[in-house]
Short mmCIF file of all heavy atoms in Angstrom, two decimals:
data_model
loop_
_atom_site.label_atom_id
_atom_site.label_comp_id
_atom_site.label_asym_id
_atom_site.label_seq_id
_atom_site.Cartn_x
_atom_site.Cartn_y
_atom_site.Cartn_z
N THR A 6 9.10 1.10 1.31
CA THR A 6 8.38 0.14 0.50
C THR A 6 7.16 -0.41 1.25
O THR A 6 6.98 -0.15 2.45
CB THR A 6 9.28 -1.04 0.13
OG1 THR A 6 9.60 -1.75 1.35
CG2 THR A 6 10.56 -0.57 -0.55
N ILE A 7 6.36 -1.21 0.55
CA ILE A 7 5.20 -1.84 1.17
C ILE A 7 5.64 -2.72 2.34
O ILE A 7 5.08 -2.63 3.45
CB ILE A 7 4.43 -2.68 0.13
CG1 ILE A 7 3.75 -1.76 -0.89
CG2 ILE A 7 3.38 -3.56 0.81
CD1 ILE A 7 3.13 -2.47 -2.07
N HIS A 8 6.65 -3.57 2.13
CA HIS A 8 7.10 -4.45 3.20
C HIS A 8 7.70 -3.67 4.37
O HIS A 8 7.49 -4.03 5.54
CB HIS A 8 8.12 -5.46 2.66
CG HIS A 8 7.48 -6.67 2.04
ND1 HIS A 8 6.93 -7.69 2.78
CD2 HIS A 8 7.29 -7.00 0.74
CE1 HIS A 8 6.44 -8.60 1.98
NE2 HIS A 8 6.64 -8.22 0.72
N GLU A 9 8.42 -2.61 4.08
CA GLU A 9 8.98 -1.78 5.16
C GLU A 9 7.88 -1.12 5.98
O GLU A 9 7.97 -1.05 7.22
CB GLU A 9 9.92 -0.73 4.57
CG GLU A 9 11.23 -1.32 4.05
CD GLU A 9 12.03 -0.34 3.20
OE1 GLU A 9 11.46 0.68 2.75
OE2 GLU A 9 13.22 -0.61 2.98
N MET A 10 6.84 -0.64 5.32
CA MET A 10 5.73 -0.03 6.05
C MET A 10 5.00 -1.05 6.90
O MET A 10 4.62 -0.77 8.05
CB MET A 10 4.77 0.63 5.06
CG MET A 10 5.35 1.84 4.34
SD MET A 10 5.79 3.21 5.45
CE MET A 10 4.14 3.82 5.85
N ALA A 11 4.78 -2.24 6.35
CA ALA A 11 4.11 -3.30 7.11
C ALA A 11 4.93 -3.68 8.34
O ALA A 11 4.39 -3.83 9.45
CB ALA A 11 3.86 -4.51 6.23
N ALA A 12 6.24 -3.84 8.16
CA ALA A 12 7.10 -4.19 9.28
C ALA A 12 7.11 -3.09 10.34
O ALA A 12 7.09 -3.36 11.55
CB ALA A 12 8.52 -4.46 8.79
N GLY A 13 7.12 -1.84 9.90
CA GLY A 13 7.09 -0.72 10.83
C GLY A 13 5.81 -0.68 11.63
O GLY A 13 5.83 -0.44 12.85
N ALA A 14 4.68 -0.92 10.97
CA ALA A 14 3.39 -0.92 11.67
C ALA A 14 3.31 -2.08 12.66
O ALA A 14 2.77 -1.93 13.76
CB ALA A 14 2.26 -1.01 10.65
N ALA A 15 3.85 -3.23 12.27
CA ALA A 15 3.86 -4.38 13.18
C ALA A 15 4.66 -4.08 14.44
O ALA A 15 4.26 -4.44 15.55
CB ALA A 15 4.43 -5.61 12.46
N LYS A 16 5.78 -3.38 14.30
CA LYS A 16 6.60 -3.02 15.46
C LYS A 16 5.83 -2.09 16.40
O LYS A 16 6.08 -2.08 17.61
CB LYS A 16 7.89 -2.34 15.01
CG LYS A 16 8.89 -3.30 14.38
CD LYS A 16 10.14 -2.54 13.94
CE LYS A 16 11.14 -3.48 13.26
NZ LYS A 16 12.33 -2.74 12.77
N MET A 17 4.91 -1.31 15.85
CA MET A 17 4.11 -0.39 16.66
C MET A 17 2.89 -1.08 17.28
O MET A 17 2.07 -0.43 17.93
CB MET A 17 3.64 0.79 15.81
CG MET A 17 4.74 1.76 15.47
SD MET A 17 5.26 2.71 16.92
CE MET A 17 6.44 3.83 16.16
N GLY A 18 2.74 -2.38 17.01
CA GLY A 18 1.63 -3.11 17.61
C GLY A 18 0.35 -3.10 16.81
O GLY A 18 -0.70 -3.51 17.30
N MET A 19 0.44 -2.65 15.56
CA MET A 19 -0.76 -2.65 14.73
C MET A 19 -1.13 -4.06 14.31
O MET A 19 -0.26 -4.92 14.12
CB MET A 19 -0.54 -1.80 13.47
CG MET A 19 -0.36 -0.31 13.71
SD MET A 19 -1.78 0.52 14.45
CE MET A 19 -1.17 0.75 16.12
N GLN A 20 -2.41 -4.29 14.13
CA GLN A 20 -2.91 -5.54 13.56
C GLN A 20 -3.39 -5.34 12.12
O GLN A 20 -3.50 -6.30 11.37
CB GLN A 20 -4.06 -6.07 14.41
CG GLN A 20 -3.66 -6.42 15.84
CD GLN A 20 -4.83 -6.85 16.69
OE1 GLN A 20 -5.82 -7.38 16.17
NE2 GLN A 20 -4.74 -6.62 17.98
N TYR A 21 -3.64 -4.07 11.75
CA TYR A 21 -4.14 -3.73 10.42
C TYR A 21 -3.44 -2.45 9.96
O TYR A 21 -3.24 -1.52 10.74
CB TYR A 21 -5.65 -3.50 10.43
CG TYR A 21 -6.43 -4.69 10.91
CD1 TYR A 21 -6.68 -4.87 12.27
CD2 TYR A 21 -6.92 -5.64 10.01
CE1 TYR A 21 -7.38 -5.97 12.73
CE2 TYR A 21 -7.63 -6.74 10.46
CZ TYR A 21 -7.86 -6.90 11.82
OH TYR A 21 -8.55 -8.00 12.27
N LEU A 22 -3.09 -2.42 8.67
CA LEU A 22 -2.47 -1.23 8.08
C LEU A 22 -3.07 -0.99 6.71
O LEU A 22 -3.10 -1.90 5.87
CB LEU A 22 -0.96 -1.41 7.94
CG LEU A 22 -0.23 -0.30 7.16
CD1 LEU A 22 -0.30 1.03 7.92
CD2 LEU A 22 1.23 -0.69 6.89
N ALA A 23 -3.54 0.23 6.48
CA ALA A 23 -4.04 0.62 5.16
C ALA A 23 -2.99 1.48 4.48
O ALA A 23 -2.53 2.48 5.04
CB ALA A 23 -5.34 1.40 5.30
N LEU A 24 -2.60 1.09 3.28
CA LEU A 24 -1.71 1.89 2.45
C LEU A 24 -2.55 2.61 1.41
O LEU A 24 -3.20 1.98 0.57
CB LEU A 24 -0.63 1.01 1.81
CG LEU A 24 0.35 0.41 2.82
CD1 LEU A 24 1.34 -0.51 2.12
CD2 LEU A 24 1.09 1.50 3.60
N THR A 25 -2.57 3.92 1.51
CA THR A 25 -3.48 4.76 0.73
C THR A 25 -2.65 5.76 -0.08
O THR A 25 -2.47 6.91 0.34
CB THR A 25 -4.45 5.49 1.67
OG1 THR A 25 -3.67 6.14 2.71
CG2 THR A 25 -5.40 4.52 2.33
N GLU A 26 -2.16 5.31 -1.22
CA GLU A 26 -1.29 6.18 -2.01
C GLU A 26 -2.07 7.39 -2.54
O GLU A 26 -3.27 7.33 -2.79
CB GLU A 26 -0.69 5.41 -3.18
CG GLU A 26 -0.02 4.10 -2.83
CD GLU A 26 1.13 4.20 -1.83
OE1 GLU A 26 1.55 5.32 -1.48
OE2 GLU A 26 1.62 3.14 -1.42
N HIS A 27 -1.33 8.49 -2.72
CA HIS A 27 -1.95 9.67 -3.31
C HIS A 27 -2.45 9.34 -4.71
O HIS A 27 -1.75 8.72 -5.52
CB HIS A 27 -0.95 10.82 -3.38
CG HIS A 27 -0.67 11.44 -2.05
ND1 HIS A 27 -1.60 12.22 -1.39
CD2 HIS A 27 0.42 11.41 -1.26
CE1 HIS A 27 -1.09 12.64 -0.24
NE2 HIS A 27 0.13 12.15 -0.14
N ALA A 28 -3.67 9.76 -5.00
CA ALA A 28 -4.27 9.52 -6.31
C ALA A 28 -3.60 10.40 -7.38
O ALA A 28 -2.82 11.30 -7.06
CB ALA A 28 -5.77 9.77 -6.24
N PRO A 29 -3.89 10.15 -8.66
CA PRO A 29 -3.03 10.65 -9.75
C PRO A 29 -2.84 12.15 -9.88
O PRO A 29 -1.84 12.58 -10.46
CB PRO A 29 -3.72 10.08 -11.00
CG PRO A 29 -4.33 8.81 -10.53
CD PRO A 29 -4.84 9.13 -9.16
N GLU A 30 -3.75 12.99 -9.37
CA GLU A 30 -3.56 14.42 -9.56
C GLU A 30 -2.54 15.03 -8.61
O GLU A 30 -2.13 16.19 -8.81
CB GLU A 30 -4.91 15.15 -9.42
CG GLU A 30 -5.87 14.92 -10.57
CD GLU A 30 -5.32 15.38 -11.91
OE1 GLU A 30 -4.68 16.45 -11.97
OE2 GLU A 30 -5.53 14.68 -12.92
N MET A 31 -2.11 14.29 -7.60
CA MET A 31 -1.05 14.80 -6.73
C MET A 31 0.28 14.73 -7.49
O MET A 31 0.64 13.66 -8.01
CB MET A 31 -0.96 13.98 -5.45
CG MET A 31 0.16 14.41 -4.51
SD MET A 31 -0.02 16.08 -3.87
CE MET A 31 -1.34 15.81 -2.67
N PRO A 32 1.02 15.82 -7.60
CA PRO A 32 2.29 15.78 -8.34
C PRO A 32 3.24 14.71 -7.83
O PRO A 32 3.45 14.55 -6.63
CB PRO A 32 2.86 17.19 -8.10
CG PRO A 32 1.66 18.05 -7.85
CD PRO A 32 0.70 17.18 -7.11
N GLY A 33 3.77 13.90 -8.76
CA GLY A 33 4.79 12.93 -8.44
C GLY A 33 4.29 11.56 -8.04
O GLY A 33 5.09 10.64 -7.84
N THR A 34 2.99 11.36 -7.91
CA THR A 34 2.49 10.08 -7.44
C THR A 34 2.30 9.09 -8.59
O THR A 34 2.67 9.35 -9.74
CB THR A 34 1.17 10.27 -6.66
OG1 THR A 34 0.86 9.07 -5.94
CG2 THR A 34 0.03 10.63 -7.58
N CYS A 35 1.72 7.95 -8.27
CA CYS A 35 1.52 6.88 -9.26
C CYS A 35 0.26 7.14 -10.11
O CYS A 35 -0.56 8.00 -9.78
CB CYS A 35 1.42 5.53 -8.55
SG CYS A 35 0.37 5.55 -7.08
N GLY A 36 0.12 6.36 -11.17
CA GLY A 36 -0.98 6.56 -12.10
C GLY A 36 -2.14 5.60 -11.90
O GLY A 36 -2.14 4.77 -10.98
N LEU A 37 -3.09 5.68 -12.77
CA LEU A 37 -4.32 4.90 -12.68
C LEU A 37 -4.05 3.41 -12.60
O LEU A 37 -4.67 2.70 -11.79
CB LEU A 37 -5.20 5.20 -13.90
CG LEU A 37 -6.48 4.36 -14.06
CD1 LEU A 37 -7.44 4.60 -12.90
CD2 LEU A 37 -7.15 4.68 -15.40
N PHE A 38 -3.13 2.89 -13.41
CA PHE A 38 -2.91 1.44 -13.45
C PHE A 38 -2.44 0.89 -12.11
O PHE A 38 -2.71 -0.26 -11.77
CB PHE A 38 -1.89 1.09 -14.54
CG PHE A 38 -2.40 1.26 -15.95
CD1 PHE A 38 -1.55 1.10 -17.03
CD2 PHE A 38 -3.72 1.59 -16.20
CE1 PHE A 38 -2.01 1.25 -18.34
CE2 PHE A 38 -4.20 1.76 -17.49
CZ PHE A 38 -3.33 1.59 -18.55
N TYR A 39 -1.72 1.71 -11.33
CA TYR A 39 -1.28 1.26 -10.01
C TYR A 39 -2.49 0.85 -9.17
O TYR A 39 -2.49 -0.22 -8.54
CB TYR A 39 -0.51 2.38 -9.30
CG TYR A 39 0.03 1.99 -7.95
CD1 TYR A 39 1.31 1.49 -7.81
CD2 TYR A 39 -0.76 2.11 -6.79
CE1 TYR A 39 1.81 1.12 -6.57
CE2 TYR A 39 -0.27 1.74 -5.56
CZ TYR A 39 1.01 1.25 -5.45
OH TYR A 39 1.49 0.87 -4.22
N PHE A 40 -3.52 1.66 -9.17
CA PHE A 40 -4.69 1.40 -8.34
C PHE A 40 -5.56 0.28 -8.91
O PHE A 40 -6.26 -0.41 -8.18
CB PHE A 40 -5.51 2.68 -8.18
CG PHE A 40 -4.74 3.78 -7.50
CD1 PHE A 40 -4.11 4.77 -8.24
CD2 PHE A 40 -4.60 3.79 -6.12
CE1 PHE A 40 -3.38 5.77 -7.61
CE2 PHE A 40 -3.86 4.78 -5.48
CZ PHE A 40 -3.26 5.77 -6.23
N GLN A 41 -5.47 0.08 -10.21
CA GLN A 41 -6.26 -0.99 -10.83
C GLN A 41 -5.63 -2.37 -10.65
O GLN A 41 -6.27 -3.37 -10.90
CB GLN A 41 -6.44 -0.68 -12.31
CG GLN A 41 -7.33 0.53 -12.57
CD GLN A 41 -7.50 0.83 -14.04
OE1 GLN A 41 -6.65 0.49 -14.87
NE2 GLN A 41 -8.59 1.49 -14.39
N ASN A 42 -4.37 -2.42 -10.19
CA ASN A 42 -3.66 -3.69 -10.08
C ASN A 42 -3.38 -4.09 -8.63
O ASN A 42 -2.67 -5.06 -8.38
CB ASN A 42 -2.33 -3.60 -10.85
CG ASN A 42 -1.75 -4.96 -11.17
OD1 ASN A 42 -2.47 -5.88 -11.56
ND2 ASN A 42 -0.44 -5.10 -11.03
N LEU A 43 -3.97 -3.40 -7.66
CA LEU A 43 -3.67 -3.67 -6.25
C LEU A 43 -4.12 -5.06 -5.80
O LEU A 43 -3.63 -5.56 -4.78
CB LEU A 43 -4.34 -2.60 -5.37
CG LEU A 43 -3.68 -1.22 -5.44
CD1 LEU A 43 -4.57 -0.19 -4.74
CD2 LEU A 43 -2.30 -1.24 -4.82
N ARG A 44 -4.98 -5.69 -6.55
CA ARG A 44 -5.46 -7.03 -6.18
C ARG A 44 -4.34 -8.06 -6.12
O ARG A 44 -4.48 -9.11 -5.49
CB ARG A 44 -6.54 -7.49 -7.16
CG ARG A 44 -6.01 -7.72 -8.57
CD ARG A 44 -7.10 -8.02 -9.58
NE ARG A 44 -6.55 -8.28 -10.92
CZ ARG A 44 -6.19 -7.32 -11.76
NH1 ARG A 44 -6.30 -6.04 -11.41
NH2 ARG A 44 -5.71 -7.63 -12.95
N VAL A 45 -3.21 -7.79 -6.80
CA VAL A 45 -2.14 -8.80 -6.87
C VAL A 45 -1.30 -8.83 -5.58
O VAL A 45 -0.51 -9.76 -5.40
CB VAL A 45 -1.21 -8.54 -8.07
CG1 VAL A 45 -2.01 -8.48 -9.36
CG2 VAL A 45 -0.36 -7.29 -7.89
N ILE A 46 -1.45 -7.86 -4.71
CA ILE A 46 -0.57 -7.78 -3.53
C ILE A 46 -1.14 -8.61 -2.39
O ILE A 46 -2.34 -8.53 -2.10
CB ILE A 46 -0.41 -6.32 -3.06
CG1 ILE A 46 0.00 -5.42 -4.24
CG2 ILE A 46 0.62 -6.23 -1.94
CD1 ILE A 46 0.06 -3.95 -3.88
N PRO A 47 -0.33 -9.42 -1.71
CA PRO A 47 -0.82 -10.21 -0.57
C PRO A 47 -1.42 -9.31 0.52
O PRO A 47 -0.93 -8.21 0.76
CB PRO A 47 0.44 -10.91 -0.05
CG PRO A 47 1.38 -10.92 -1.22
CD PRO A 47 1.10 -9.67 -1.99
N ARG A 48 -2.46 -9.81 1.15
CA ARG A 48 -3.13 -9.04 2.20
C ARG A 48 -2.64 -9.40 3.60
O ARG A 48 -3.16 -8.87 4.58
CB ARG A 48 -4.64 -9.26 2.11
CG ARG A 48 -5.44 -8.18 1.36
CD ARG A 48 -4.87 -7.75 0.05
NE ARG A 48 -5.69 -6.72 -0.60
CZ ARG A 48 -5.44 -6.20 -1.78
NH1 ARG A 48 -4.39 -6.60 -2.47
NH2 ARG A 48 -6.22 -5.26 -2.28
N GLU A 49 -1.65 -10.25 3.71
CA GLU A 49 -1.03 -10.56 5.00
C GLU A 49 0.47 -10.35 4.86
O GLU A 49 1.11 -10.94 4.00
CB GLU A 49 -1.30 -12.01 5.43
CG GLU A 49 -2.77 -12.34 5.66
CD GLU A 49 -3.29 -11.83 7.00
OE1 GLU A 49 -2.45 -11.51 7.87
OE2 GLU A 49 -4.51 -11.74 7.17
N MET A 50 1.04 -9.51 5.70
CA MET A 50 2.48 -9.24 5.70
C MET A 50 2.95 -8.97 7.12
O MET A 50 2.30 -8.21 7.86
CB MET A 50 2.82 -8.01 4.84
CG MET A 50 2.61 -8.18 3.36
SD MET A 50 3.20 -6.69 2.46
CE MET A 50 2.61 -7.08 0.81
N HIS A 51 4.04 -9.58 7.49
CA HIS A 51 4.67 -9.31 8.79
C HIS A 51 3.68 -9.47 9.95
O HIS A 51 3.74 -8.73 10.94
CB HIS A 51 5.31 -7.93 8.80
CG HIS A 51 6.38 -7.76 7.77
ND1 HIS A 51 7.69 -8.17 7.98
CD2 HIS A 51 6.33 -7.29 6.49
CE1 HIS A 51 8.39 -7.92 6.88
NE2 HIS A 51 7.60 -7.39 5.97
#
C-alpha cells in the first residue's frame, strides 16, 4: 500500500519518495480517474 511503501522508504533513510503507478495501457493497472484524484492524498507520511 501507499503507507507501507512510505514506511519502507523511511526505513531506508529516504527523505522523499515518488509513487509512480503504471499508466492505463499497462495490463492490470489503475485507470484515468486514479491519476486525476491524486491531489487528495497527504504529501507527508512516515
